[in-house]
Amino acid sequence: MADGNNILKIRGDSIVKLAKKDDNKYAIVDGKIPSWLNATQQSFILGLPELRTGIEPWLTSLFQSEHLSVLTGNGLSTAVQFLATGNGNTEMSGQDMDSAFKNKISEAAKKSSVASGRGEKNIEDEIRVTNELIRGLEILGYDTEETKKDDYKKLCQGLEELIKNFTDGIAKIEASVATAAPMERERAFGYLVSFLMSFASRTGTRERLNIFTTNYDRLIEAGAELAGLHLLDRFVGTLAPIFRSSRLDIDMHYNPPGIRGEPRYLEGVAKFTKLHGSIDWLDVGIDIRRIGLPFGSADIKNFLNAPGLNNVDRRKVMIYPNSSKDRETAEYPYVELFRDFAAALCRPNSTLVTYGYGFGDDHINRIIRDMLTIPSTHLIVISYDDAGGRIEKKYEEFGRSSQISLVIGKDLANLPTLVDYFMPKPSIDKASIRMGELLKQRYSEEKVEPVEADFPDLTGGADL
């Protein structure tokens, strides 16, 4: 998956490499013509309509799997930010802290990053290593011995500054989208809403969509709010929601008029899990709380001064590298979130779609690998690039090519092209799906004669 080509693998085909030409034409560079092209389309130069005939029906069928989950990474936030502002998210990095341990922290962070396959260290690696070092110094008594207190105090101050830089960078992503020019902002959120609803519009006989994200920002929540999509998570409450470990299978139903005892699913509901925490989650004593942080707020600190949030500073923001002190709380609430992730994926007839996820988290990759050991599961990887070769490496490592589909490349997987051409259009009931099939057969570029027994003429011979 090198040379900057677009990668496509769907159905039972092998990988096809495509290079974009002028006028939205794509040249097959490896000589492999996809099997789903008909005789008139079989050419080494393909347009978006030809690609759509293969990709869209395949995705539509997989999106109606019995169990459907979507996992988004930083690529989704970058795509929305780029549409709104013309600039993508820049990599957030830390700064040299005033600590006697800064060289050791830098070395350990780099070693951790290389071991995970990400290459260069980032601010998350630095935060995680600093947390581990602080815990080690507390065991050694640095926080109580007079001769060592200064080093311990400077390290804690350095950690708080690291988290400030990190959370400020996340807040800037939200703020840049919220304050973008109205037309560009509307276009960006329009594509985000269409993206989400392509997954959420499932028939009533299917289980709820599960949305997972490794992002700390709240672009998905903002998009869901605009779409009228209600997200179910583990938080309970209104003014100061609290994270609950008891995961009741709560859903939203309604009683159809004239029918008793047969509640039905309410449309526009999805289950939502932020695997790595969120910019508005705080560790408050024994509870994890979500604060009322407005979308696009530039300074989180102003919202930490509230009753019930005593002695809470930026170090209490629940982002994944910033776990609490001991092992029991270090795994909380993330242990609950990853249990939900594994439970949603590792079952028969389950489909997982990843968008903008670079396969740089071993704890997530392990669950995906376990999912693929179930023959009826399927993984769809949609990505703007190959994430430094990690996707190719995981594709080969998983060894389940027949259960994996790939749509990779800036010309195929950018958000507008994906939504306009390849993603299934939202349809929420059988009537809509049936109408879509009829319109596709009657007005698609490739005319298909309907079978009389299956598709009777509903118009009495009149033209529509």
Side-chain angles (χ1 to χ4, degrees), residues 161-410:
E161 187 65 22
L162 274 178
I163 296 176
K164 176 183 182 299
N165 294 337
F166 190 44
T167 53
D168 285 351
I170 298 167
K172 287 178 181 177
I173 295 174
E174 294 186 1
S176 67
V177 176
T179 59
M183 289 185 62
E184 285 75 11
R185 182 177 64 235
E186 182 177 345
R187 179 171 180 263
F189 274 117
Y191 277 114
L192 176 60
V193 166
S194 296
F195 176 83
L196 293 174
M197 293 309 295
S198 291
F199 297 100
S201 300
R202 289 166 58 76
T203 59
T205 58
R206 295 291 185 264
E207 189 201 41
R208 293 295 193 194
L209 167 71
N210 293 284
I211 302 176
F212 299 95
T213 185
T214 58
N215 296 337
Y216 306 103
D217 61 66
R218 293 158 312 154
L219 283 171
I220 289 181
E221 293 96 310
E225 186 174 285
L226 292 172
L229 180 63
H230 187 87
L231 301 177
L232 299 175
D233 56 20
R234 281 183 173 269
F235 284 88
V236 178
T238 302
L239 293 178
I242 299 177
F243 185 91
R244 295 299 189 194
S245 296
S246 57
R247 187 177 188 271
L248 300 178
D249 196 12
I250 297 174
D251 211 316
M252 299 182 70
H253 301 79
Y254 73 98
N255 291 317
I259 301 178
R260 294 184 178 180
E262 295 184 10
R264 299 180 184 176
Y265 279 129
L266 187 67
E267 298 163 1
V269 178
K271 296 179 180 179
F272 182 52
T273 302
K274 304 190 77 169
L275 293 171
H276 285 176
S278 182
I279 193 175
D280 58 352
W281 294 9
L282 294 177
D283 179 8
V284 183
I286 61 174
D287 294 321
I288 306 298
R289 289 184 177 271
R290 186 172 63 210
I291 62 174
L293 181 68
F295 182 80
S297 296
D299 190 355
I300 300 174
K301 185 177 180 179
N302 294 333
F303 297 92
L304 300 181
N305 299 321
L309 301 182
N310 298 331
N311 300 320
V312 171
D313 56 29
R314 290 177 182 270
R315 287 180 295 170
K316 297 298 184 179
V317 176
M318 293 305 294
I319 54 178
Y320 185 70
N322 189 35
S323 303
S324 301
K325 293 182 180 179
D326 53 57
R327 182 170 181 80
E328 287 75 21
T329 54
E331 293 184 348
Y332 181 83
Y334 307 111
V335 63
E336 307 291 344
L337 303 175
F338 282 101
R339 182 181 292 121
D340 291 348
F341 185 57
L345 267 60
C346 298
R347 49 185 170 172
N349 302 308
S350 177
T351 293
L352 170 66
V353 183
T354 68
Y355 182 80
Y357 171 64
F359 287 83
D361 295 297
D362 290 338
H363 47 288
I364 293 177
N365 299 338
R366 187 180 304 112
I367 296 174
I368 296 175
R369 181 196 62 196
D370 291 346
M371 178 196 79
L372 291 173
T373 61
I374 304 173
S376 59
T377 59
H378 200 91
L379 170 65
I380 305 172
V381 180
I382 305 175
S383 179
Y384 189 82
D385 57 34
D386 189 18
R390 289 195 301 270
I391 295 178
E392 178 183 16
K393 182 180 179 181
K394 289 302 175 183
Y395 174 80
E396 295 173 352
E397 181 182 305
F398 291 151
R400 301 272 179 165
S401 60
S402 62
Q403 294 173 243
I404 302 176
S405 297
L406 305 173
V407 181
I408 302 174
K410 64 180 182 180

